Amino acid sequence: MTRADTARFNFQQAVAALSRPTTSADSVPYRKTVDSLAKFYGVASPFTPVTGLTQCHDITVYPDIGYAGGACAGMGLLLDIRDVANPKRITQVADSNFSFWHSATFSNNGDMVLFSDEWGGGGAAYCRKDDPKEWGADAIFTIEKGKMVFQSYYKLPAAQTANENCVAHNGNLIPIPGRTIMVQGFYQGGITVFEWTDPKRPYELAFFDRGPNDSTRLQGGGVWSVYWYNGHIISSEMQRGLDILELTPSAAISQNELDAAKTVRFEFMNAQDQPKYIWPASFSLSKSYVDQLERWNGLTAAQITAVRSGITDAEGKSGAARRAALTSLATKVRGYVAASSDKPRVQWLAQSLTDLSNAK
């Protein structure tokens, strides 16, 4: 370790020993104390305002959409990269609850972006039960007319011990059709799988947590990065090695949705070069939309039964008979759109049936 590493570590230990603010009034003396400790140890305070942007920690490019998201330590940038040789800044955001803008992830259709905050550099315990939910978390923005509009924060909901370094870190989207679901590492907080389809109400769907590396003292470690790749979740655990995990069906995610996700395949994955997920025509894709419409009451029970019966019937046929059955069913489903409370999803279902009828 260098002298600077030691100074940062000692600063993080000193901050971790402080009593956490429980009200906005308490946060003022707390921030002053943190600033004083930073000056004492000769490190930057996480509350020091950014006066100028000179570099970015990570830049996630999304070529299929034409955006890049710059997590630039003190702020988040949205860039237009359609002209690759001449990228342009579209807009920027800052947040007093964020200490270190670390990385960015776009929704698959590019209408939202999530920034993570590696509060304190990832070396301290910021997921204890009294820690603010806005610190070391994710901030979710919608992209509206060239602006990033804040919607909510997300932080893994399970409180961690004082001996587990825990803030938001690396992750990526899981290709479940029609939904924005992400897997993300939180160091010793483990892995969280969460949905932000509704950017105002993100919530956890699944988790994996090994517990502290050492229950008697704070020791750095945990999930540095975790990514969905060709049907599996690949997790790099700093002290314990590589974990390979698989999602199983639940009330929140159906088997059909998981099967459809596994149809999205890549020869390689670079999370900072975000790929667009495109689902090939499959019965699991159509069944996924039916499951979602049932879960969220987008169609009546009678309509759900009729569609499922029609899919089963078509699946049992082949050649021209299958194409005819799928084409007829797609026409029927389009007739459901007008009265549905979830019109886009009914349209996706109808289109998936049409694509399936045309598949070779």
Side-chain angles (χ1 to χ4, degrees):
M1 293 179 68
T2 66
R3 182 177 298 175
D5 291 331
T6 301
R8 281 194 295 270
F9 177 79
N10 289 335
F11 167 69
Q12 290 168 353
Q13 293 287 90
V15 171
L18 298 175
S19 298
R20 313 299 295 178
T22 56
T23 67
S24 57
D26 293 336
S27 67
V28 175
Y30 174 80
R31 292 182 180 222
K32 288 182 178 179
T33 302
V34 171
D35 288 341
S36 297
L37 288 170
K39 184 176 181 181
F40 177 79
Y41 287 107
V43 301
S45 169
F47 299 120
T48 301
V50 176
T51 56
L53 181 64
T54 60
Q55 60 184 338
C56 293
H57 182 277
D58 274 28
I59 299 178
T60 297
V61 297
Y62 196 175
D64 287 305
I65 298 296
Y67 283 152
C72 304
M75 64 176 66
L77 302 183
L78 181 65
L79 307 175
D80 181 342
I81 59 168
R82 289 173 295 179
D83 181 353
V84 178
N86 299 286
K88 297 178 181 179
R89 183 189 296 195
I90 300 173
T91 189
Q92 62 282 322
V93 288
D95 188 330
S96 61
N97 285 313
F98 261 43
S99 165
F100 191 84
W101 296 68
H102 176 273
S103 53
T105 303
F106 290 96
S107 59
N108 195 55
N109 65 2
D111 65 351
M112 298 186 289
V113 62
L114 175 149
F115 288 98
S116 64
D117 175 19
E118 192 183 27
W119 212 102
Y126 289 120
C127 298
R128 297 163 296 183
K129 65 181 180 65
D130 293 326
D131 286 328
K133 298 300 183 184
E134 299 84 5
W135 291 5
D138 299 316
I140 301 171
F141 299 83
T142 52
I143 301 172
E144 304 176 20
K145 298 180 180 179
K147 300 293 184 182
M148 290 186 285
V149 181
F150 174 78
Q151 300 295 322
S152 66
Y153 296 104
Y154 174 79
K155 189 175 183 178
L156 63 79
Q160 306 295 308
T161 70
N163 293 323
E164 294 173 281
N165 57 310
C166 179
V167 292
H169 211 227
N170 297 322
N172 73 341
L173 296 182
I174 297 175
I176 292 177
R179 303 170 70 179
T180 303
I181 294 176
M182 182 170 175
V183 60
Q184 186 176 26
F186 269 73
Y187 286 98
Q188 286 193 72
I191 297 168
T192 180
V193 175
F194 62 100
E195 179 161 16
W196 45 292
T197 304
D198 180 349
K200 291 184 179 296
R201 297 173 182 82
Y203 63 98
E204 188 175 64
L205 298 169
F207 69 91
F208 179 79
D209 186 1
R210 287 181 170 275
N213 290 333
D214 187 332
S215 63
T216 65
R217 65 189 178 95
L218 178 61
Q219 180 187 54
V223 178
W224 173 267
S225 60
V226 59
Y227 302 115
W228 171 278
Y229 181 67
N230 291 348
H232 292 90
I233 292 173
I234 316 297
S235 169
S236 177
E237 218 279 2
M238 296 167 66
Q239 299 289 345
R240 293 157 169 163
L242 199 67
D243 288 320
I244 313 295
L245 304 106
E246 186 172 18
L247 283 173
T248 55
S250 67
I253 303 175
S254 71
Q255 184 64 60
N256 290 318
E257 289 174 299
L258 294 176
D259 291 342
K262 291 178 181 180
T263 66
V264 178
R265 310 287 294 183
F266 294 98
E267 294 184 0
F268 68 93
M269 172 69 75
N270 176 356
Q272 272 65 58
D273 184 2
Q274 185 171 335
K276 185 174 179 63
Y277 293 152
I278 298 174
W279 291 266
S282 68
F283 280 99
S284 62
L285 178 60
S286 299
K287 291 175 182 178
S288 294
Y289 293 136
V290 178
D291 291 348
Q292 293 166 6
L293 288 163
E294 180 181 44
R295 184 184 298 126
W296 298 316
N297 300 313
L299 291 177
T300 67
Q303 289 169 334
I304 293 292
T305 298
V307 174
R308 283 195 172 131
S309 177
I311 290 175
T312 299
D313 176 65
E315 199 168 8
K317 297 177 179 179
S318 61
R322 173 179 285 186
R323 287 194 294 273
L326 289 168
T327 300
S328 175
L329 183 58
T331 300
K332 176 185 286 188
V333 169
R334 287 190 174 90
Y336 297 157
V337 172
S340 173
S341 60
D342 193 347
K343 292 178 175 60
R345 206 170 305 275
V346 179
Q347 291 170 336
W348 299 338
L349 169 59
Q351 187 60 50
S352 74
L353 293 168
T354 298
D355 293 341
L356 195 54
S357 71
N358 295 327
K360 294 181 180 179

